[in-house]
Amino acid sequence: MDEIKAAHSGAVKNTKRKIIEDISKYMESKEPMPALEHYLVDRNQYIEQLWLNVWLNKVTNGVSKVGKKEFLESKGIETKGVDRKLINHVFRNEMREFSPFRPAEWLHAEMEAQPGMWENLYTEARERFRKQEEAARKMEERAVLLQTMSESAERVLLDSESLLYLYTRYEIARKLQADINSGTRYKKIDTLALEEKLISQGCFSPADYRRAGDFFEELTGDIHKTFYRGRMFFEYETYYFKYERAITGIVLRNASRLISEKLPEGDFKEYLSHEPEEGDENNLAVLVSEMAEELADDFLERISGEYIEDLLRLEAVPFDAETHKAIYESDMAMAEKRLAWEIAEAEQKAAEEQRMIDEVFGSEYRPSTERNVKYVLHIGETNTGKTHHALEALKSAESGIYLAPLRLLALEVYDRLNADGVPCSLKTGEEEKEEPGAAHISCTVEMFHEKDYYEVAVIDEAQMVADKDRGFSWYKAITKANAKEVHIIGSFNIKNMVIKLLGNAEYELKEYRRDVPLHVEDQEFSLKNARKGDALVCFSRKQVLATAAILQGNGHKVSMIYGSMPPETRKKQMQLFISGQTGIVVSTDAIGMGLNLPIRRIVFLENEKFDGTSRRRLSSQEVKQIAGRAGRKGIYNIGRVAFVSDVQRMKRLLEGEDQQVKVFAIAPTSAVFERFQKYSRSLGAFFELWEKFESPPGTKKAELAEERSRYELIEGTMIEQRFPMMELYGFLHLPFSAKEPQLTEQWLETMAAIADGRELPEPAIKKRSLEEMELTYKAIGLHLLFLYKLGKRTEAIYWERVREQVSDSVHEELKDVTKSQGKKCRNCGKSLPLDFAYPICDQCHSGQNKRKNHSRRGWRQKRKF
């Protein structure tokens, strides 16, 4: 009850204060003085409600829950187990009539007790109202004066703009000369790439820049903060920002001086005489700043467009308005003539460049129609015997070449032909195996050379012609194969494109359909349902190893296939599955590229894949390519396909119509480089020309991203100077993974060694983990690429043996990946089942819950006290 009384006392006090404030506000605009009764007629409802609001808020917030319950229980109202909100509601209702305060009665009593109080309130209210009116009038007068001064300041700046620009131009010219003389020039990089260190390229030379804006793009060497679309970034600073700040400061400083000198005398004093409030004196400075910043933006643009040699000449000429005006007018007149020359020069250069593009690239990417070659197209679904029929033609020819998309497939055909009594050599860039008397060769498609003649050529997986990075190798092989008969193997979606590429050439079309039907299982797949003959497909090496580890832990014998696996290891893994020594294969989508295995069921463990840019759902063609590996005639009469989720949607993709390939990839050829060398021997210039070359209709240019990134590492260095252009491009084009920084570093070190005439650095052999062994294998592969390119065959034979040993180590490691892929509790380190869903064990999780519950009980105990 004491809490309620205290709240009531406070509410009465607050209400009285608010009523007096309301009376003062009410009286401000009244003339003559209103009577108390008039006030009560107009405001009685308001002040009655005022009391109620103040009182209910005060008592609700000021009385504890216990006090509210005690009061309600004293009134016979049950509160046990009642919700807090309901208790508050009932309590407020009970308080409405608790010892009500009567504002009208209080006012009458107050006025009787203090006879002059009403008159005093009126006098104070009217005086306050008069002062407010006077302040408003002065503020309006100041605003009018400020507007007048604003217009005057604007006229001053407009009248003085030419003088202001001349002085700014002179100051910037001096600064420009100082920066060029003392600054360091850095190699241009993405300004947001702060992880990259700046590389000094010596001093600045004015001859390298035509206009000041060209210099402003150079890096200062500092890092600054910038904003873009509301977000803050740190980036390497360019001189643009430095000169933007400098010009703004120069303009603001001189604009303020000019305005103070030329503003009508007495205006600013009159403005300040109107009893300004604190800070009003700065309004004029803000006004000048806004106008000056607009001018500064314009001046920056104008100076950026001026010739740098004109600006640098000013530095030696002391500032005099008339002298600098004459210089400026002369420079502008000459600039107009130079601009006309530049436009004419640019037009001439563009015409010459276009002629160069036409001559260099010309008809290089138009299929030849005058060729005495017979084409045989093997078009059909996956796992239908297309490759078998093409290889039969190859085996019966006096000479032949097989072009594969993967080193593993080239190796497979090499083994197959030799086993069938047809001597065949192997060439993949990383290895060369010459068989005595061989007239046949099996190689990767990049090894194709159009000048070599064969009776029969076989080009596998022709749908790869659309691949943005490697597609041109297929295009070149299809259109320039120097053979009597060319067999092209591909899926249905490539048929129209290939026929179009062949032009008027003779061709025979053979279409293949599956004898073994595909059946999609309606039930979603679970790992516990894995069976012998299953091929489980996911889209990352990490997922392959993790899945294989779970299966091995559950007692299954598993083979694995993924992109970074050594081909020899992959071959052994496949052989284990083919021979029945393993019952399940876990693979990436590499399984869909010509790998013939006795697969009962293809299982998609994922419906999406990362394509290098983002995760996306599998395309219909990808689903078909992979699912088509299920079923093997003579072994399984039906091929089964399963999905872990979204079965019906994935089934529609599998059964949907193929999306036709409509464009093919193009890339530079030897002939292109030979023609380009008539104009230049700079690879940098070639990359620029390739960028400007417009890809013909139906084609898409290779981005050459890896070649360019490697070129940037050696651009302008001794390495670039030591190699002829075409030879250097060949080294840039070596096929190794740019995703591995260690391989790029190895490439750079080897290039430097070749340029210096030193022995090639040997790759380090590391076998502590599966990852290290796979990277070692790749490093040896890159080393072999250099050795074969340099004709060092003896050394290459040694390193092939070393690589084979590494491959064997990888194979041994894969026999039990549960060790490397094992999961442990992050709290106690206890081993967890590989398919355990959580990062901590059940015991640690239970312990955490006990500690949480104990903490909560302790907190509740403390609250009671």
Side-chain angles (χ1 to χ4, degrees):
M1 197 66 179
D2 291 340
E3 289 179 322
I4 296 175
K5 290 179 180 179
H8 187 272
S9 175
V12 169
K13 184 177 180 182
N14 285 353
T15 302
K16 290 178 179 179
R17 178 176 55 78
K18 289 180 179 291
I19 290 174
I20 295 298
E21 290 173 357
D22 185 65
I23 291 172
S24 296
K25 192 70 178 174
Y26 176 81
M27 288 178 165
E28 282 182 354
S29 58
K30 301 293 184 184
E31 197 173 9
M33 180 179 70
L36 173 60
E37 296 305 324
H38 289 155
Y39 171 77
L40 291 174
V41 169
D42 291 343
R43 303 293 289 171
N44 191 60
Q45 185 176 354
Y46 166 76
I47 59 179
E48 290 285 350
Q49 188 62 42
L50 175 65
W51 154 250
L52 191 59
N53 290 344
V54 172
W55 162 235
L56 291 179
N57 288 336
K58 193 77 172 176
V59 76
T60 302
N61 296 327
V63 177
S64 66
K65 182 179 179 181
V66 173
K68 291 171 185 174
K69 283 186 174 183
E70 289 177 351
F71 176 81
L72 292 175
E73 288 171 356
S74 70
K75 295 289 185 179
I77 299 172
E78 180 62 42
T79 63
K80 188 175 182 180
V82 178
D83 181 69
R84 180 178 58 82
K85 289 185 179 180
L86 184 57
I87 289 176
N88 281 339
H89 178 71
V90 174
F91 181 73
R92 282 175 67 93
N93 286 339
E94 289 294 322
M95 289 296 103
R96 285 180 177 274
E97 299 302 325
F98 180 88
S99 186
F101 173 69
R102 308 296 183 189
E105 294 178 7
W106 170 73
L107 275 175
H108 279 110
E110 197 73 9
M111 296 309 152
E112 287 177 8
Q114 302 181 55
M117 181 180 178
W118 187 258
E119 289 79 0
N120 290 339
L121 287 174
Y122 178 70
T123 302
E124 290 172 2
R126 289 296 294 170
E127 179 62 20
R128 186 168 55 254
F129 182 71
R130 184 191 65 77
K131 289 181 178 179
Q132 289 173 353
E133 289 285 297
E134 180 66 16
R137 182 184 64 77
K138 288 185 176 182
M139 187 177 294
E140 185 175 349
E141 288 178 357
R142 285 200 302 274
V144 171
L145 182 57
L146 187 61
Q147 180 62 31
T148 301
M149 293 172 64
S150 171
E151 293 170 357
S152 298
E154 187 174 345
R155 283 194 299 272
V156 168
L157 289 183
L158 288 174
D159 292 343
S160 306
E161 182 177 348
S162 296
L163 176 62
L164 199 55
Y165 181 73
L166 290 175
Y167 193 79
T168 303
R169 185 175 185 249
Y170 170 65
E171 291 283 347
I172 292 302
R174 296 174 64 190
K175 180 173 178 54
L176 197 58
Q177 184 70 70
D179 286 335
I180 289 176
N181 288 342
S182 62
T184 300
R185 186 174 187 178
Y186 298 99
K187 183 177 179 180
K188 290 185 178 179
I189 59 170
D190 180 356
T191 57
L192 293 173
L194 295 180
E195 69 279 3
E196 295 186 30
K197 291 185 177 180
L198 295 182
I199 301 173
S200 171
Q201 292 186 319
C203 301
F204 292 114
S205 172
D208 292 335
Y209 311 99
R210 178 171 289 183
R211 291 180 168 82
D214 299 333
F215 175 76
F216 292 166
E217 294 177 4
E218 295 287 355
L219 298 169
T220 66
D222 293 330
I223 295 173
H224 76 139
K225 183 166 58 178
T226 186
F227 292 87
Y228 179 69
R229 293 186 176 180
R231 294 182 62 191
M232 184 190 76
F233 298 92
F234 284 94
E235 65 172 354
Y236 283 120
E237 181 189 53
T238 62
Y239 278 96
Y240 175 88
F241 295 99
K242 188 174 181 179
Y243 278 80
E244 181 183 47
R245 294 191 298 271
I247 290 174
T248 299
I250 294 168
V251 173
L252 182 60
R253 185 171 60 252
N254 287 290
S256 300
R257 178 177 55 80
L258 285 169
I259 289 174
S260 64
E261 290 174 356
K262 300 187 178 184
L263 199 67
E265 189 175 352
D267 279 2
F268 192 51
K269 289 182 179 180
E270 183 182 352
Y271 169 73
L272 294 177
S273 69
H274 283 72
E275 299 179 13
E277 297 177 1
E278 185 179 353
D280 275 4
E281 305 86 17
N282 297 322
N283 288 341
L284 185 59
V286 171
L287 175 67
V288 171
S289 173
E290 290 175 356
M291 289 187 290
E293 284 177 4
E294 290 180 11
L295 278 178
D297 289 341
D298 178 56
F299 288 2
L300 175 61
E301 185 176 348
R302 288 168 64 180
I303 288 173
S304 296
E306 287 212 41
Y307 290 94
I308 200 163
E309 60 183 279
D310 291 344
L311 292 172
L312 294 180
R313 281 199 303 269
L314 289 179
E315 193 267 343
V317 183
F319 186 78
D320 172 76
E322 292 302 320
T323 302
H324 276 253
K325 180 181 179 182
I327 294 173
Y328 176 69
E329 290 173 350
S330 174
D331 288 345
M332 289 302 100
M334 182 56 70
E336 288 186 18
K337 294 180 181 179
R338 291 169 74 174
L339 181 60
W341 295 337
E342 287 174 9
I343 292 173
E345 183 183 12
E347 291 174 350
Q348 182 180 354
K349 183 179 179 181
E352 290 176 357
E353 193 173 74
Q354 189 56 51
R355 282 194 297 272
M356 188 195 315
I357 289 173
D358 292 340
E359 183 178 342
V360 171
F361 302 111
S363 60
E364 186 70 21
Y365 305 106
R366 300 190 193 101
S368 172
T369 58
E370 304 295 330
R371 306 188 70 240
N372 188 24
V373 178
K374 179 187 176 182
Y375 289 90
V376 181
L377 310 187
H378 301 269
I379 303 296
E381 299 169 314
T382 304
N383 213 356
T384 54
K386 304 186 300 292
T387 305
H388 170 76
H389 286 89
L391 289 179
E392 288 300 306
L394 180 68
K395 285 159 60 176
S396 63
E398 291 185 4
S399 64
I401 184 171
Y402 169 75
L403 301 173
L406 301 173
R407 181 168 159 246
L408 179 63
L409 289 182
L411 189 61
E412 185 179 301
V413 171
Y414 161 79
D415 288 337
R416 178 173 172 178
L417 264 62
N418 283 303
D420 291 344
V422 179
C424 179
S425 296
L426 176 71
K427 187 174 183 179
T428 65
E430 293 181 39
E431 63 186 325
E432 295 181 10
K433 296 182 180 180
E434 294 186 5
E435 294 296 321
H440 290 69
I441 185 168
S442 178
C443 58
T444 47
V445 69
E446 282 82 5
M447 295 295 105
F448 166 77
H449 196 283
E450 59 195 76
K451 293 182 180 180
D452 296 333
Y453 175 82
Y454 299 93
E455 185 179 349
V456 171
V458 175
I459 305 169
D460 207 352
E461 302 290 355
Q463 65 272 9
M464 289 288 289
V465 74
D467 185 84
K468 66 177 183 178
D469 297 315
R470 301 178 64 204
F472 184 65
S473 296
W474 274 267
Y475 166 81
K476 188 168 64 170
I478 291 169
T479 60
K480 299 183 183 297
N482 188 11
K484 181 179 178 181
E485 189 172 285
V486 178
H487 290 253
I488 302 173
I489 305 167
S491 53
F492 278 118
N493 67 334
I494 197 64
K495 181 175 76 172
N496 294 337
M497 170 61 73
V498 170
I499 292 173
K500 182 179 179 181
L501 288 178
L502 299 184
N504 297 328
E506 176 190 357
Y507 71 89
E508 176 186 354
L509 177 62
K510 295 183 178 182
E511 295 191 351
Y512 300 76
R513 301 285 178 180
R514 289 180 63 93
D515 293 329
V516 178
L518 288 177
H519 169 72
V520 177
E521 298 180 353
D522 292 329
Q523 186 175 0
E524 293 181 348
F525 176 83
S526 171
L527 272 185
K528 65 183 179 182
N529 297 324
R531 299 289 182 270
K532 184 177 180 180
D534 283 349
L536 312 185
V537 181
C538 38
F539 299 98
S540 70
R541 171 189 176 279
K542 181 179 179 181
Q543 190 62 34
V544 167
L545 294 174
T547 304
I550 293 172
L551 291 169
Q552 287 181 349
N554 292 335
H556 292 284
K557 293 183 177 179
V558 183
S559 288
M560 283 154 270
I561 297 172
Y562 49 84
S564 60
M565 176 184 288
E568 296 86 357
T569 306
R570 194 183 310 185
K571 182 180 176 182
K572 291 177 181 178
Q573 291 286 308
M574 291 168 56
Q575 194 57 46
L576 289 174
F577 183 74
I578 292 169
S579 64
Q581 295 179 61
T582 58
I584 298 174
V585 59
V586 184
S587 173
T588 61
D589 49 349
I591 201 172
M593 193 68 75
L595 302 184
N596 294 313
L597 298 169
I599 297 170
R600 180 183 70 91
R601 175 173 61 173
I602 285 284
V603 179
F604 288 81
L605 296 182
E606 297 178 273
N607 296 340
E608 296 180 338
K609 67 178 290 187
F610 182 73
D611 61 7
T613 304
S614 61
R615 284 192 66 83
R616 59 165 177 80
R617 188 173 293 276
L618 296 174
S619 68
S620 174
Q621 188 58 38
E622 287 168 333
V623 174
K624 291 175 183 177
Q625 183 80 14
I626 298 168
R629 293 295 162 193
R632 189 72 176 268
K633 192 173 180 179
I635 302 176
Y636 301 113
N637 294 324
I638 188 169
R640 298 183 177 277
V641 184
F643 300 94
V644 293
S645 64
D646 211 356
V647 175
Q648 293 306 313
R649 180 170 184 173
M650 300 307 292
K651 184 178 180 180
R652 288 194 294 272
L653 288 177
L654 178 60
E655 297 172 350
E657 186 176 345
D658 284 348
Q659 185 176 358
Q660 293 295 310
V661 174
K662 296 181 180 179
V663 296
F664 60 87
I666 60 174
T669 64
S670 298
V672 163
F673 280 115
E674 287 171 2
R675 289 192 289 268
F676 175 76
Q677 286 185 110
K678 297 177 184 177
Y679 296 94
S680 171
R681 295 185 178 273
S682 164
L683 263 179
F686 177 80
F687 285 132
E688 288 181 12
L689 195 69
W690 178 256
E691 186 71 28
K692 294 174 183 177
F693 166 55
E694 290 188 11
S695 187
T699 70
K700 56 182 177 183
K701 291 187 299 184
E703 295 179 358
L704 306 183
E706 291 191 6
E707 290 84 350
R708 290 187 188 192
S709 64
R710 291 169 196 162
Y711 176 70
E712 288 175 1
L713 296 175
I714 60 171
E715 184 180 6
T717 67
M718 172 268 297
I719 296 176
E720 182 181 22
Q721 297 167 8
R722 293 285 176 88
F723 291 97
M725 187 185 76
M726 288 182 64
E727 185 180 355
L728 181 59
Y729 183 80
F731 285 118
L732 295 176
H733 194 59
L734 288 178
F736 69 91
S737 175
K739 297 178 181 177
E740 303 284 359
Q742 289 171 260
L743 296 183
T744 300
E745 186 65 29
Q746 178 185 338
W747 176 86
L748 189 59
E749 290 175 1
T750 306
M751 290 296 294
I754 297 171
D756 288 341
R758 294 183 280 109
E759 288 293 322
L760 304 191
E762 296 183 351
I765 310 300
K766 298 180 180 180
K767 295 185 178 182
R768 289 177 299 182
S769 66
L770 181 61
E771 289 78 8
E772 280 195 350
M773 285 186 278
E774 289 174 350
L775 185 56
T776 296
Y777 184 94
K778 293 177 184 177
I780 296 173
L782 176 56
H783 190 59
L784 283 166
L785 285 172
F786 278 106
L787 291 176
Y788 278 118
K789 197 167 184 64
L790 298 172
K792 298 176 179 275
R793 296 182 180 275
T794 304
E795 291 182 45
I797 292 172
Y798 165 76
W799 282 103
E800 280 186 6
R801 290 173 183 165
V802 175
R803 184 172 64 175
E804 188 174 348
Q805 293 170 2
V806 175
S807 175
D808 290 341
S809 299
V810 172
H811 182 67
E812 289 300 315
E813 185 75 12
L814 292 175
K815 288 182 179 179
D816 185 5
V817 293
T818 56
K819 297 176 183 177
S820 61
Q821 300 298 309
K823 293 181 68 174
K824 292 185 177 181
C825 173
R826 71 182 182 191
N827 282 1
C828 68
K830 176 184 176 182
S831 294
L832 299 173
L834 289 164
D835 55 353
F836 196 74
Y838 304 102
I840 61 173
C841 66
D842 291 336
Q843 187 174 355
C844 288
H845 182 258
S846 176
Q848 282 185 355
N849 286 340
K850 287 179 181 178
R851 285 193 295 273
K852 286 180 181 177
N853 292 333
H854 178 74
S855 297
R856 287 175 184 146
R857 284 196 298 271
W859 180 77
R860 284 195 289 268
Q861 290 294 331
K862 290 178 182 178
R863 290 277 294 177
K864 289 181 180 179
F865 294 100

